[in-house]
Amino acid sequence: MAFTNRYTVIIIGAGISGITVAKELSENGVDDVVILEATDRIGGRIRKETFGGVAVELGAGWIAGVGGEMANPVWKLAKRFGIRTILSDYSNARFNIYNQSGTIYPSRLAAESYRKAVEAAMRKLRNEEDDDIDELAMMPNTPIELAIDFILHDFEMAEVEPISTYTEYGEREFMVADERGYEHILYKLAETFLLNSDGKISDHRLQLNKVVREVQHSRNGVKVTTEDGSSYEADYLILSVSIGVLQSDLISFRPFLPRWKTEAIQKCDVIVYTKIFLKFPYKFWTCEPGKEFFIFAHERRGYYTFWQHMENAYPGSNILVVTLTNGESKRIEDQSDQQTLKEAMEVLRIMFGPDIPDATDILVPQWWNNRFQRGSYTNYPIVNNHIVHDVKAHVGCIFFTGEHTSERFSGFVHGGYLSGIDTAKDLLEEMKLEKERTIESKALLLALSESLSISQTKAASNGYNYEIPRQVYLGSNLGAPEAIL
């Protein structure tokens, strides 16, 4: 018979939200916690890998929202831990758009196409109806229009949508370019409450390679079963897994989660964001100011569209990065890396000529087919807060955290970080209320017991003899309200 471990709180997932909520609980005296992480590392969708001799970020790679009146909490952590960052300026990307003949579109044409794309996006956002406007004419059709539509909605959303990250924290973005990786922030946070030795976490409260498959829950708490047959019990459970995992069948619930909860989870739109890294023997692209980002216009939206060279981050690295999203991301995950390399090289040779060298290596992350992620981040429709509220709301002793539970900052690292803090506050408040309810319940039982004792004493003094069974039934003849004990 397998041994069952008992805790006050179980946290599933050791990403930014899971580590943060555990840290907040520890700082408030709740140390009887275990973090169950499915992989062999902490970080979740913050993940670095060494490629071409440098550290590249496979997942989250930027600190978005810097330079405003309010300080971005993740930016503050990055400065505190000495994370090296590089300013990213996308403003010139729209003027570095290559056509399929290998020449750059004239700036005037690019500017006009960009203006039309912004107008179309604003009209859609505001749901304006104007009989004088041909909506079909506003849709992107040409390669340059499709390319700019991709840039606008995948990289420069703040220019048309009131995103809290940019309005509250500032419009600047900094790319993490640190050999220790973005994940170094998580390790430094974890060190504040988890035991570590020689720079590695050795605390038994963090258990890696624990794939949770089943959650049984009731008023008495939860029981969690992992793929290797281990079981854990606790008073409370915090789910810090991605919305994609919640939408999948990786974790089953007994009993099922309520319908309002599952419907809210399934309504969430999951974005797949894939950065493909290519290593070359030498650089053949320009590294002049304003040329870090460049665009390829294709008749298929998002087909190897957005490119970036890594020379500003790592001089002499000779690495290019191309970003794909959603359908294109899923497509390349289902094909071989060699096929992806062939397609990418065909695009590069259109832009830079047939004589450029072949890439010597390629790195293609898997975010959609990864059963522990199932996507990159959440994309909520603008002004749809009721979905976020239902996704975040706890179900009995089960609490939910992650960037998908952030009403203002979903999709961002700071959204995940702040959600961890919020979830810890919510759980601590619930634990406080539960303690108060227990005290009140005990006080009521004591009062009823004293009332029964007084009634027995009075009865005895009047010459009556009552047989009181061990399982007491308090009737109206005892002058107290009925209660079942």
Side-chain angles (χ1 to χ4, degrees), residues 383-447:
V383 194
N384 208 346
N385 292 342
H386 71 279
I387 296 180
V388 188
H389 179 272
D390 286 350
V391 169
K392 180 181 179 180
H394 68 93
V395 177
C397 57
I398 302 177
F399 286 70
F400 298 79
T401 195
E403 51 85 14
H404 53 279
T405 69
S406 176
E407 184 174 316
R408 294 182 298 158
F409 306 118
S410 65
F412 293 95
V413 173
H414 52 271
Y417 174 75
L418 292 172
S419 74
I421 295 175
D422 289 343
T423 302
K425 289 179 179 177
D426 292 343
L427 178 54
L428 289 167
E429 180 63 23
E430 176 63 24
M431 294 173 73
K432 178 183 176 182
L433 293 174
E434 181 61 28
K435 185 177 180 180
E436 291 175 353
R437 287 191 291 264
T438 301
I439 293 174
E440 290 175 359
S441 178
K442 288 181 178 179
L444 176 61
L445 289 174
L446 180 60

Side-chain angles (χ1 to χ4, degrees), residues 150-190:
F150 182 84
I151 300 168
L152 190 65
H153 291 93
D154 289 77
F155 297 95
E156 298 181 2
M157 295 180 293
E159 302 210 11
V160 294
E161 298 175 0
I163 295 179
S164 299
T165 287
Y166 301 103
T167 58
E168 295 188 22
Y169 295 141
E171 296 184 358
R172 290 196 294 170
E173 298 187 27
F174 286 80
M175 186 178 75
V176 173
D178 194 300
E179 290 293 347
R180 299 167 298 177
Y182 207 151
E183 63 189 36
H184 183 66
I185 292 177
L186 276 78
Y187 279 94
K188 296 302 289 185
L189 290 175

Side-chain angles (χ1 to χ4, degrees), residues 279-340:
K279 171 75 173 179
F280 292 89
Y282 57 87
K283 61 177 178 286
F284 49 84
W285 52 88
T286 179
C287 293
E288 298 174 3
K291 300 292 185 179
E292 179 181 0
F293 302 96
F294 52 96
I295 314 299
F296 176 64
H298 194 271
E299 60 267 15
R300 193 161 87 201
R301 185 186 185 278
Y303 185 79
Y304 298 95
T305 299
F306 196 86
W307 293 80
Q308 175 188 8
H309 70 69
M310 297 287 287
E311 293 303 307
N312 291 351
Y314 295 111
S317 61
N318 300 332
I319 293 175
L320 288 178
V321 187
V322 59
T323 299
L324 279 64
T325 62
N326 299 329
E328 287 298 312
S329 292
K330 295 175 183 179
R331 183 183 68 82
I332 61 103
E333 284 195 21
D334 288 336
Q335 69 184 21
S336 69
D337 288 355
Q338 286 304 308
Q339 177 61 30
T340 300

Side-chain angles (χ1 to χ4, degrees), residues 42-115:
I42 70 171
R45 286 164 284 173
I46 299 176
R47 180 181 176 183
K48 74 153 188 174
E49 189 161 321
T50 300
F51 175 78
V54 300
V56 296
E57 301 294 339
L58 304 190
W62 280 267
I63 302 175
V66 179
E69 294 183 2
M70 294 178 60
N72 184 319
V74 173
W75 178 248
K76 290 171 66 176
L77 290 173
K79 304 309 289 183
R80 174 182 165 190
F81 300 135
I83 299 296
R84 178 175 175 264
T85 59
I86 302 294
L87 176 66
S88 290
D89 183 4
Y90 302 116
S91 61
N92 291 316
R94 72 195 73 165
F95 301 117
N96 299 327
I97 305 178
Y98 289 81
N99 61 29
Q100 293 184 62
S101 297
T103 58
I104 294 179
Y105 283 99
S107 297
R108 185 175 179 180
L109 175 60
E112 177 62 19
S113 299
Y114 188 82
R115 183 190 63 78

Side-chain angles (χ1 to χ4, degrees), residues 177-398:
D178 194 300
E179 290 293 347
R180 299 167 298 177
Y182 207 151
E183 63 189 36
H184 183 66
I185 292 177
L186 276 78
Y187 279 94
K188 296 302 289 185
L189 290 175
E191 285 178 6
T192 64
F193 69 97
L194 292 175
L195 299 175
N196 63 89
S197 176
D198 297 326
K200 295 183 179 180
I201 299 172
S202 56
D203 201 306
H204 70 278
R205 290 173 294 172
L206 172 65
Q207 299 195 18
L208 304 176
N209 299 305
K210 291 294 183 180
V211 183
V212 174
R213 298 308 307 270
E214 183 181 78
V215 172
Q216 299 178 47
H217 57 105
S218 68
R219 292 181 178 179
N220 297 322
V222 296
K223 180 179 180 180
V224 169
T225 304
T226 59
E227 207 162 56
D228 63 4
S230 301
S231 61
Y232 305 79
E233 293 183 355
D235 300 325
Y236 300 96
L237 171 68
I238 299 176
L239 276 167
S240 180
V241 299
S242 71
I243 195 69
V245 169
L246 290 176
Q247 291 176 345
S248 74
D249 59 359
L250 180 66
I251 303 175
S252 63
F253 294 87
R254 295 176 51 194
F256 296 129
L257 293 176
R259 183 174 178 180
W260 61 265
K261 187 70 174 184
T262 56
E263 286 184 349
I265 290 171
Q266 294 302 326
K267 285 179 181 177
C268 294
D269 187 16
V270 178
I271 300 297
V272 188
Y273 185 102
T274 308
K275 292 179 286 186
I276 300 172
F277 299 86
L278 298 164
K279 171 75 173 179
F280 292 89
Y282 57 87
K283 61 177 178 286
F284 49 84
W285 52 88
T286 179
C287 293
E288 298 174 3
K291 300 292 185 179
E292 179 181 0
F293 302 96
F294 52 96
I295 314 299
F296 176 64
H298 194 271
E299 60 267 15
R300 193 161 87 201
R301 185 186 185 278
Y303 185 79
Y304 298 95
T305 299
F306 196 86
W307 293 80
Q308 175 188 8
H309 70 69
M310 297 287 287
E311 293 303 307
N312 291 351
Y314 295 111
S317 61
N318 300 332
I319 293 175
L320 288 178
V321 187
V322 59
T323 299
L324 279 64
T325 62
N326 299 329
E328 287 298 312
S329 292
K330 295 175 183 179
R331 183 183 68 82
I332 61 103
E333 284 195 21
D334 288 336
Q335 69 184 21
S336 69
D337 288 355
Q338 286 304 308
Q339 177 61 30
T340 300
L341 176 59
K342 177 177 179 294
E343 294 173 355
M345 288 306 305
E346 288 173 351
V347 168
L348 286 171
R349 288 193 165 109
I350 290 174
M351 291 190 285
F352 297 102
D355 297 329
I356 64 172
D358 289 325
T360 57
D361 201 2
I362 185 172
L363 176 59
V364 183
Q366 299 267 323
W367 291 112
W368 177 247
N369 288 334
N370 184 335
R371 65 177 181 147
F372 303 141
Q373 303 299 341
R374 298 298 292 171
S376 302
Y377 57 87
T378 311
N379 180 40
Y380 284 112
I382 300 298
V383 194
N384 208 346
N385 292 342
H386 71 279
I387 296 180
V388 188
H389 179 272
D390 286 350
V391 169
K392 180 181 179 180
H394 68 93
V395 177
C397 57
I398 302 177

